[in-house]
Each structure stands twice: as structure tokens, then as C-alpha cells.
Amino acid sequence: MTRAGAVEEVAVQRGANGTGLELGITGMTTDAAGNVWFVEPMTAEIAEIDVTTGVVTEFAVSAPQCAGCVIPIRLTVARNGAVWFSSSVATGNDQSSHMIGRLTPSG
């Protein structure tokens, strides 16, 4: 938002996995370059919008004990570029555990 209150939009292209931004977005933050990072909990992905190009890069989140069951919730970007995130992990029988994960700048 500008000081005058106008909303600025970034044109977003479809992500690398072809799904684009079809499902809910949560947990937004920015990195040192101004790129926007956010969580797509319904697809269990963390995504980055390159503010220069508008290209969205999506990173699938997985856990060895329950591949596909990790649901990222919130995230932050460290000074070194690593993306830290909290998540809920479905363990069955309506039970879940929680974990903290890290996505390094190289993926």
C-alpha cells in the first residue's frame, strides 16, 4: 500500500508446478531482495514471488514420516536467505504433531 492508500498489485504468472495460486495463501513475508514468500497450506507448498519478474516459484514441503501430510502454516526469512517455517503434520487418527522446517536458498 502506498502512503496515499492505493493498493499496488504484482502480476503473478503460474508457478513452476503449473498449479498457480489456486488455493488459499497464508503466512506472507519478504526477503532481503524484496521478493514475497508465502504459504499455500492446501497444496503443502511454500512459494516465492520474484517482484522483478512476477514469476512464482513453488517448493513442495514433505516429511519422511508422512510424505504429503505436512501442512506449512507460517514462515520467516533469515538474514542468510533460509526460509524457516512452522507446520502441522498429520499422523493419523485425527492426531497431529508440529515441526519447524527450513528451506535453503538453493531449494
Side-chain angles (χ1 to χ4, degrees):
M1 211 175 238
T2 65
R3 287 183 175 243
V7 175
E8 296 178 20
E9 296 181 13
V10 175
V12 178
Q13 300 174 17
R14 294 181 74 80
N17 69 5
T19 62
L21 304 177
E22 298 165 352
L23 300 172
I25 297 172
T26 64
M28 294 175 54
T29 192
T30 57
D31 62 21
N35 297 316
V36 177
W37 289 83
F38 58 92
V39 174
E40 294 178 280
M42 300 301 291
T43 57
E45 293 174 318
I46 293 174
E48 173 194 25
I49 300 175
D50 182 311
V51 294
T52 303
T53 64
V55 172
V56 177
T57 303
E58 295 167 310
F59 302 90
V61 177
S62 63
Q65 72 274 22
C66 187
C69 296
V70 175
I71 302 169
I73 300 169
R74 300 278 185 258
L75 74 165
T76 190
V77 179
R79 288 184 184 142
N80 67 356
V83 178
W84 289 89
F85 62 94
S86 62
S87 63
S88 179
V89 182
T91 57
N93 297 326
D94 293 327
Q95 300 290 317
S96 65
S97 63
H98 304 281
M99 65 180 239
I100 294 174
R102 180 180 67 161
L103 177 67
T104 59
S106 59

